[in-house]
Amino acid sequence: MNKREVQASVKDERLVQKRRDQMIKGAVQLFKEKGFHRTTTREIAKAAGFSIGTLYEYIRTKEDVLYLVCDSIYDHVSERLQQDLELKKGTLESLQLGITNFFQVMDEMQAEVLVMYQEVKSLTKDALPYVLKKEMQMVGMFESLLRKCVENGELVLSEKQIKMIAHNIFVQGQMWGFRRWALRKLYTLDEYIELQTELILAGLSQYQPQKE
Amino acid sequence: MNKREVQASVKDERLVQKRRDQMIKGAVQLFKEKGFHRTTTREIAKAAGFSIGTLYEYIRTKEDVLYLVCDSIYDHVSERLQQDLELKKGTLESLQLGITNFFQVMDEMQAEVLVMYQEVKSLTKDALPYVLKKEMQMVGMFESLLRKCVENGELVLSEKQIKMIAHNIFVQGQMWGFRRWALRKLYTLDEYIELQTELILAGLSQYQPQKE
Amino acid sequence: MNKREVQASVKDERLVQKRRDQMIKGAVQLFKEKGFHRTTTREIAKAAGFSIGTLYEYIRTKEDVLYLVCDSIYDHVSERLQQDLELKKGTLESLQLGITNFFQVMDEMQAEVLVMYQEVKSLTKDALPYVLKKEMQMVGMFESLLRKCVENGELVLSEKQIKMIAHNIFVQGQMWGFRRWALRKLYTLDEYIELQTELILAGLSQYQPQKE
Amino acid sequence: MNKREVQASVKDERLVQKRRDQMIKGAVQLFKEKGFHRTTTREIAKAAGFSIGTLYEYIRTKEDVLYLVCDSIYDHVSERLQQDLELKKGTLESLQLGITNFFQVMDEMQAEVLVMYQEVKSLTKDALPYVLKKEMQMVGMFESLLRKCVENGELVLSEKQIKMIAHNIFVQGQMWGFRRWALRKLYTLDEYIELQTELILAGLSQYQPQKE
DNA sequence: TATGAATGAGGGTTCATTCAT
DNA sequence: GATGAATGAACCCTCATTCAT
């Protein structure tokens, strides 16, 4: 259940990928501006650079576009993070680095994140689980980071605490995207990153084993 | 700019209020189930207990309903919180109490919060500022609480830190509503409250003035 | 299962009947000219004298129109025949009268019969049985007529023969409608009726009991 | 006006015939299942075993397919009958044989007959005459049979009667195909043939010259 | 000759909004 | 004030047909 296949009439896999990329790019922009429901399939087709007929050669329903958009965003974010998190050393520094990285990705993909964030609930029962699973995988990355630190003796945390903190980090990352109307007035990205990591680590310092 | 007037054809203010309450009550339920866009004005009218014609005697457009719903939810939440926060004593205990209270309200009004949370973005440029302002007021409540603690010498925090923490608390409250699909599997409400307040206060302990 | 209810949004039963009559009248004409598939719902609405929106206040799908048309035609034909056949005396003369009457109705309702005849198969599995049942009822009328003659001692026919002849009469009636492109060149209605009844009765004369 | 040429881009006549045969075979099946209008050109191409592009190398419009199908069916039926009717001896026995044969062909080609029968009306004014002419030719076969009998002194019938009976036979043959939903429940093919020929001949017996 | 991606007119249907009663 | 029938713009999607390869 790793992917929900979206059926295409066109056979050439390469072409399908290319067209869908065009489609997603156009759709993200539109969804960001007007939301999924206020965007018409014709607009999506136009933004993608082809006709409405062609659009439907690559998807089955309008909702497929939303799914593809969400799916693609998660993939991009995941990919970006995976690279950095691969070298998870289990130190507080590497945790800090991971958080910083994540917040930066959230900033770069601000438009996409906003869209996904606001529109996931428009997915039907059919497609939703696939997307939520991906979200859990991303939260899972931070859980790993934290768990590594615990294993390493850098932190003393229960499983429940690990999961809670991972959720918090994840949501704070998204927050920078979806509450930017408020946050941008108060902080630069760097300030935001600094303040939040500081707070997180300050909280964690309580849970560090006492060293003499 | 405290209220955006929604025009009604009917003059009797009492009646207007009554009808709108019916309307909001029905709409919240519907929006929760199917979202704003998938809900029709006819359905709203029916759920409110009157005809489509009557509905339009009390609003101008479908979006007015959404605005009224959002507005009403914020009012309810604010009201609920105001009561408790009035007696803000500027101690860490009262802060903890405030957080606990807020999370509990978020749990009780889960449906409403979810709706508002998911659908604010459907408001047009016209109505959005009024709603966002209310949100800022709620964040402001936590800022006050924190500021009181600082004034009281219980905490040492910069203005920026205060605002950041207030935001975090607010979003973590919402989180219990909009990420409940994930959180409910991991925690009971009480556990969630305990874990989160613990983490927040742990973080803040770093910022407590050294007392000898 | 005598009627398949077609849902209407409008409550007023009288109005529903009135609008549907307009609708059916317009649709018959259009279906006759271009067939069910080539007729658009917009054309039907226009022919009926109201807007497309109004059309859909009285039906749910385009197919509903076809069902209503078929249903109405059968009802009209049945009604017309019932009157005449009520006084079925079980004589060959009354049989002859029945046939003549039926052929005349088929001529009068030529447009409707043609339409129904050609488009029934466009009905989905859902609606088809209701219509076919009505057709069997009409065939049944002729069976009754014949059976009466047998009971009366005017004819000696097996059940199978009765059913066969009833079918033949029915189809010959329709034939005048759907093969009129060929038959009209050869016969007037009266000639057609005369020739066919003559042939039928000639055939039946074989089955008359020998009277001395 | 014996054939309405359907234009093909491909020159090789042999190939044209081959491709069209594939096409017709696939189309008959599809038309039988879903009717002409509900069948797409893509489906026809696929059923025929080649691409949509290729399909259009051998026809000009979708309707051409229908014409080719109808045309081919008539040709097949005609051919089947011609063989048997060639040796028309002008006796009642040979008439009976002809009828039996025809009904059997109608049964064998049930699918095709049903299709043609239901879809001819979908032909445009342009192609219709060609098909109707073929139908008249088939009716004409029975006219010949009957006329032979008259010439032979086996029957005494007017021209009008001959034509009427020929029509009846023809329609009764089709009836076995298009009313099989009702008839199949009542009769086997053999019973049907027996009953119908019996009735026809019984009718004709009235018109036999009195022999002493 | 064969392919299949591209096109876009047009079809069925919905639904916010109005207005006569 | 209340009703609900009427409206039609606009939406999603299909599919016959074309044309570059």
Side-chain angles (χ1 to χ4, degrees), chain B residues 38-52:
Chain B
R38 292 202 219 273
T39 302
T40 69
T41 51
R42 275 173 157 85
E43 287 170 322
I44 296 170
K46 194 175 179 186
F50 39 70
S51 74
I52 181 68

Side-chain angles (χ1 to χ4, degrees), chain A residues 37-38 117 119 122 135 160 163-164 167-168 171 178-179 186-187 191-192 196 202 205-206, chain B residues 37-38 117 119 121-122 135 160-161 163-164 167-168 171 178-179 187 191-192 196 202 205-206:
Chain A
H37 282 106
R38 291 204 217 274
Y117 190 73
E119 305 293 355
S122 296
E135 185 155 329
K160 291 210 167 181
K163 284 180 191 298
M164 184 87 284
H167 263 284
N168 284 348
V171 169
F178 70 80
R179 288 180 77 79
L186 301 170
Y187 318 104
E191 278 178 319
Y192 183 75
Q196 291 286 34
S205 72
Q206 291 292 86
Chain B
H37 282 106
R38 292 202 219 273
Y117 185 74
E119 306 293 355
K121 66 107 196 0
S122 295
E135 185 156 327
K160 290 209 167 180
Q161 283 174 320
K163 285 183 190 297
M164 184 86 283
H167 263 284
N168 284 350
V171 169
F178 71 81
R179 289 178 77 78
Y187 317 105
E191 277 178 321
Y192 183 75
Q196 290 287 33
S205 71
Q206 290 292 86

Side-chain angles (χ1 to χ4, degrees), chain B residues 55-72:
Chain B
L55 182 75
Y56 274 86
E57 295 287 318
Y58 296 93
I59 52 158
R60 275 264 199 282
T61 70
K62 186 186 174 190
E63 213 210 291
D64 281 346
V65 181
L66 181 56
Y67 173 73
L68 289 173
V69 164
C70 291
D71 200 54
S72 131

Side-chain angles (χ1 to χ4, degrees), chain C residues 38 117 135 160 179 191, chain D residues 117 122 135 160 179 191:
Chain C
R38 291 202 217 274
Y117 191 73
E135 184 155 329
K160 291 210 167 182
R179 289 180 76 80
E191 277 179 321
Chain D
Y117 184 73
S122 295
E135 184 156 329
K160 292 209 167 181
R179 290 181 76 79
E191 277 178 320

Side-chain angles (χ1 to χ4, degrees), chain A residues 6-36:
Chain A
V6 173
Q7 293 232 20
S9 307
V10 173
K11 294 292 155 63
D12 183 344
E13 269 306 323
R14 272 268 236 297
L15 192 54
V16 170
Q17 203 42 250
K18 183 182 155 196
R19 292 281 180 260
R20 283 187 178 170
D21 285 346
Q22 293 176 267
M23 197 162 90
I24 290 166
K25 207 176 154 195
V28 165
Q29 192 55 33
L30 288 163
F31 292 173
K32 191 181 116 190
E33 283 165 26
K34 7 179 17 186
F36 173 68

Side-chain angles (χ1 to χ4, degrees), chain D residues 148-164:
Chain D
K148 263 267 158 59
C149 290
V150 172
E151 286 165 12
N152 234 23
E154 292 271 320
L155 291 170
V156 179
L157 294 168
S158 68
E159 251 318 282
K160 292 209 167 181
Q161 283 174 320
I162 289 175
K163 286 181 191 297
M164 184 86 286

